[in-house]
Amino acid sequence: MANSTMESGVDPRARIQSQVEQSLRRRHAREKRFRRFGLTAVMLGLAFVAVLFVSIFSRGLPAFWQSTLTLDVRFDPAVLDMGPPPQQKPEESPRDFQQRLNAWNFQLTMASWNTILEDALIAEKPALEEHRRQLRKLFTSGAKYRLRDLVAEDPSLIGRSREVTLLADAEVDVWIRGNIDRSLPDARLQLSPEVRRIADELHEDGLLDVTFSTTLFTNSDSRSSPASAGLAGAFMGSLFMMLVVIVLAVPVGVASAIYLEEFAPKNRLVDLIEVNINNLAAVPSIVFGLLGASIFINWFRLPLSAPLVGGLVLSLMTLPTVIITTRSALKAVPPSIRQAALALGASRVQTVFQQVLPLAIPGILTGAIIGVAQALGETAPLLLIGMNAFVANIPTTPFEQSTALPVQIYLWQGNEMRNFFEARTSAAIIVLLLMMITLNAFAIWLRKKFERRW
Amino acid sequence: MRFKKALGLAFAAVSMTAAAAPAMARDTIQVAGSSTVLPYASIVAEQFGNAFPFNTPVVGSGGSSGGLRQFCQGVGENTIDIANASRAIKSSEIESCANAGVKEILEVRFGYDGIVFASNASKGTFKLKPEHVYKAIAAQVPKDGKMVANPYTKWSQIDKSLPDQEIVLVIPASNHGTREVFEEKVVLDGCKADDEEACLKFRQDGRVIEISGDYTETLARLQAQADAVGVFGLGFYEQNRDRLKVATINGITPTLETIGSGEYPVSRPLFFYVKGEHIGSIPGIEEYVQYFLSEDVSGFGSQLEEIGLIPLNDEEREQAIADFKDRKVVSK
């Protein structure tokens, strides 16, 4: 009895209070839990990004430094015996002259450049004479063309000496920098023991040194001379494609978004178009590649591997993104602006172009830049239009064959010379990431600068 | 107003590019095909571009079949001029070429490639025989006179001399010419039964991994699954000796010499196919082929040999040069 009176005797207010406290605790706990989850998610994301960046930078940054040999090269006239370059004679037609010039250039290319390289090394270290045959393995094969270009530019070099910095062979670079386990037995190393010993000696003497190299930025891809493989060709290809995207996708996308948002009647057809644009934005990029291959190449007969075709395909891909972002930028302009303009007697075109569009420009630009950045990083559709080819020339027009930065990354990761190209691949990723970050930062800056609040 | 101007400019630019495109004549040779031939062809292309006043040819990959498919798309500037292949062209491909108007197909054989089995350098050494590979890979193997579902899970179960390692074989997918040689010279040789189809039925329990990408992908597999044995080209193995250990076949180690002499059984000729219709209209094709076939470029002591190509002997080289000179067209 006593017990029951006790129970019923509890102050109902106290009971309610304890209930409230309990539920409050529960709610606080829930909030804390959620915050912790959120924080963990963010930390996890950041950790992944950090791992990605650390691994790419630690692997890629060394590739900006390369083994080089700085030598006093003598352009021996006994080896370079092709004489002075031909001069155009007054009676000679330009074609004949070109032919003679080509013949001279051919002779120059075919000259025994290896002898000149070997002589230059032996001049520094006479003891190397007995290993003459091995010395050429120290230089990347592009070194010959480097010297040839110097002579072609200035034929008076023949007979004189000049200090030249030449790239070492990729395998030598791998060895010097310890990118291969130096304790492996001979059978598992690419370089012969002799070449390795000479390389180490030259490294000690300071003739062979690891220096910052601009090769990566000035050269195009190379197979015959891996040490001189660079990104210049791919960079130009990507640049041309971005230009095509900016010229095509941005104006077409913005124009269609303005029409759909401001002028189009609200009916079923327009709804259908809207739904389809949203769907297009979600179509995998490879599909656009297939479309591009069959339409632009097989039907329009545009050239294979050309940045023009790549740009067209990427434009198709970027178009929905541009339309969607432009529409949302236009939607964000308050209706009062339009109403005020209309009330003052402006026509609809005047309202849109003089009032709404200027206010929406920051949003449109941000969308366009993000779209272009997306296109810059796209690889899959480019593989289908032949842009994954090996191209040794740096393209000068959008019609010339070329690769693109992301495709170059793909090609380098597939190169059989793993020890050398692993670092190169990561270096290419760094360059691409920096470009992306610059573009995105530009988009953010634009938004901040022109942002307006109502 | 400014917007209008920008729009006008954009349209002008677009119409200009559209008008200019068909007028452009291609003056760069376009090559595509086998990923085995790719390193060789790219090196030759680069040297060719450096030595001659022609543009450097552009070399794409896509596998032998992919290259020949592009090759057979027709005649014209937007089709490729040369297809690299690590196998001979098939009669079905010659037919589809002919249907598209490509009738003058010139076959050029420029060297040989060895196919090697290699495993992770940190693991056991393999002394393989074709029969071992067949027993490891087939869906059904003979046991006590009957065909039973492949019971082997470890190499040592097949033969005591093989390492005690899980059977995992990483082989090229059928888009690669290498696959055909692998089937013909290893699996069929080891199978010894008449029913080819049954011999080439591979097990489906995840121990056979087909790679449609290139050898780097195979290498990545071997690094992830240390027990796996992969199929590579000799050139690729030579470049990655620090990571890979090569297997002998019938007791013979694959080297340039043993493959060149035919002692090592698994090798195949490498080809490229030239579209005769394009010679003359695309500048440089003839010179490229002649340059490719010259002793300095693809012979003994050349850079191609250094990266793993087994050069033709003098007789074969002369034959190849003569055939091209005579424009000898492949027949079905």
Side-chain angles (χ1 to χ4, degrees), chain A residues 64-87:
Chain A
F64 292 99
W65 282 262
Q66 251 184 292
S67 303
T68 50
L69 289 136
T70 310
L71 296 169
D72 218 15
V73 177
R74 193 173 114 77
F75 295 90
D76 191 351
V79 179
L80 305 173
D81 53 359
M82 65 289 304
Q87 300 296 325

Side-chain angles (χ1 to χ4, degrees), chain A residues 273-303:
Chain A
I273 292 174
E274 269 190 60
V275 169
N276 274 313
I277 289 174
N278 289 334
N279 279 339
L280 268 183
V283 168
S285 55
I286 191 109
V287 176
F288 288 106
L290 283 168
L291 187 80
S294 63
I295 291 185
F296 297 127
I297 290 177
N298 292 344
W299 201 34
F300 285 171
R301 314 238 135 213
L302 289 175

Side-chain angles (χ1 to χ4, degrees), chain B residues 44-117:
Chain B
V44 176
E46 218 179 316
Q47 292 176 341
F48 175 75
N50 267 320
F52 288 87
F54 298 108
N55 286 346
T56 306
V58 168
V59 189
S61 69
S64 301
S65 306
L68 283 165
R69 200 174 56 238
Q70 277 190 54
F71 183 81
C72 291
Q73 257 165 10
V75 175
E77 268 172 32
N78 66 329
T79 59
I80 61 170
D81 310 309
I82 295 175
N84 293 329
S86 52
R87 59 166 171 80
I89 192 168
K90 293 176 189 159
S91 59
S92 62
E93 284 165 339
I94 298 177
E95 216 164 279
S96 79
C97 255
N99 288 340
V102 185
K103 299 210 164 69
E104 214 182 312
I105 307 171
L106 309 171
E107 180 180 88
V108 180
R109 188 206 294 202
F110 67 92
Y112 297 88
D113 175 45
I115 292 170
V116 308
F117 289 84

Side-chain angles (χ1 to χ4, degrees), chain A residues 179-350:
Chain A
N179 285 343
I180 192 167
D181 184 357
R182 291 177 65 122
S183 61
L184 286 174
D186 286 355
R188 281 172 59 191
L189 290 170
Q190 270 81 35
L191 288 173
S192 69
E194 229 179 343
V195 176
R196 279 175 355 232
R197 198 179 45 75
I198 299 172
D200 281 338
E201 267 174 32
L202 290 173
H203 188 45
E204 265 168 42
D205 295 349
L207 282 172
L208 176 58
D209 212 0
V210 180
T211 55
F212 186 80
S213 159
T214 50
T215 324
L216 209 56
F217 306 107
T218 54
N219 285 14
S220 189
D221 194 12
S222 174
R223 277 269 185 174
S224 75
S225 166
S228 38
L231 285 170
F235 183 85
M236 286 309 286
S238 277
L239 198 71
F240 283 130
M241 287 199 303
M242 277 166 63
L243 280 180
V244 174
V245 172
I246 289 170
V247 167
L248 275 178
V250 176
V252 173
V254 171
S256 36
I258 292 174
Y259 177 77
L260 283 174
E261 193 59 37
E262 303 286 341
F263 298 100
K266 299 273 172 274
N267 58 26
R268 285 223 154 162
L269 184 69
V270 175
D271 281 349
L272 193 74
I273 292 174
E274 269 190 60
V275 169
N276 274 313
I277 289 174
N278 289 334
N279 279 339
L280 268 183
V283 168
S285 55
I286 191 109
V287 176
F288 288 106
L290 283 168
L291 187 80
S294 63
I295 291 185
F296 297 127
I297 290 177
N298 292 344
W299 201 34
F300 285 171
R301 314 238 135 213
L302 289 175
L304 271 170
S305 318
L308 173 72
V309 181
L312 286 170
V313 170
L314 294 179
S315 297
L316 288 181
M317 205 194 80
T318 325
L319 208 50
T321 319
V322 175
I323 295 179
I324 291 169
T325 48
T326 305
R327 290 192 67 177
S328 57
L330 290 171
K331 266 200 198 103
V333 176
S336 54
I337 303 266
R338 294 185 185 82
Q339 286 156 3
L342 291 173
L344 286 173
S347 72
R348 275 179 78 180
V349 175
Q350 279 174 323

Side-chain angles (χ1 to χ4, degrees), chain A residues 56-253:
Chain A
I56 286 175
F57 275 81
S58 63
R59 262 191 269 168
L61 283 180
F64 292 99
W65 282 262
Q66 251 184 292
S67 303
T68 50
L69 289 136
T70 310
L71 296 169
D72 218 15
V73 177
R74 193 173 114 77
F75 295 90
D76 191 351
V79 179
L80 305 173
D81 53 359
M82 65 289 304
Q87 300 296 325
Q88 179 148 24
K89 291 178 210 145
E91 73 279 5
E92 199 175 26
S93 73
R95 203 167 150 239
D96 289 342
F97 171 66
Q98 190 59 43
Q99 244 170 18
R100 280 204 305 140
L101 192 65
N102 285 345
W104 185 81
N105 274 324
F106 184 71
Q107 258 188 313
L108 189 66
T109 305
M110 290 297 144
S112 178
W113 292 103
N114 281 330
T115 315
I116 291 184
L117 290 170
E118 288 156 17
D119 285 344
L121 258 182
I122 291 167
E124 300 275 0
K125 267 177 84 90
L128 291 175
E129 175 67 56
E130 54 176 317
H131 304 295
R132 187 176 261 277
R133 286 289 296 172
Q134 306 288 331
L135 294 183
R136 65 183 59 177
K137 298 212 174 95
L138 291 167
F139 299 94
T140 190
S141 65
K144 295 187 285 186
Y145 301 124
R146 175 83 205 291
L147 293 183
R148 179 204 58 181
D149 292 346
L150 285 177
V151 175
E153 234 172 69
D154 178 13
S156 69
L157 268 178
I158 299 178
R160 289 194 291 142
S161 291
R162 180 166 166 188
E163 194 181 76
V164 191
T165 303
L166 296 161
L167 288 171
D169 182 70
E171 297 290 4
V172 173
D173 182 65
V174 166
W175 172 253
I176 288 290
R177 301 210 289 171
N179 285 343
I180 192 167
D181 184 357
R182 291 177 65 122
S183 61
L184 286 174
D186 286 355
R188 281 172 59 191
L189 290 170
Q190 270 81 35
L191 288 173
S192 69
E194 229 179 343
V195 176
R196 279 175 355 232
R197 198 179 45 75
I198 299 172
D200 281 338
E201 267 174 32
L202 290 173
H203 188 45
E204 265 168 42
D205 295 349
L207 282 172
L208 176 58
D209 212 0
V210 180
T211 55
F212 186 80
S213 159
T214 50
T215 324
L216 209 56
F217 306 107
T218 54
N219 285 14
S220 189
D221 194 12
S222 174
R223 277 269 185 174
S224 75
S225 166
S228 38
L231 285 170
F235 183 85
M236 286 309 286
S238 277
L239 198 71
F240 283 130
M241 287 199 303
M242 277 166 63
L243 280 180
V244 174
V245 172
I246 289 170
V247 167
L248 275 178
V250 176
V252 173

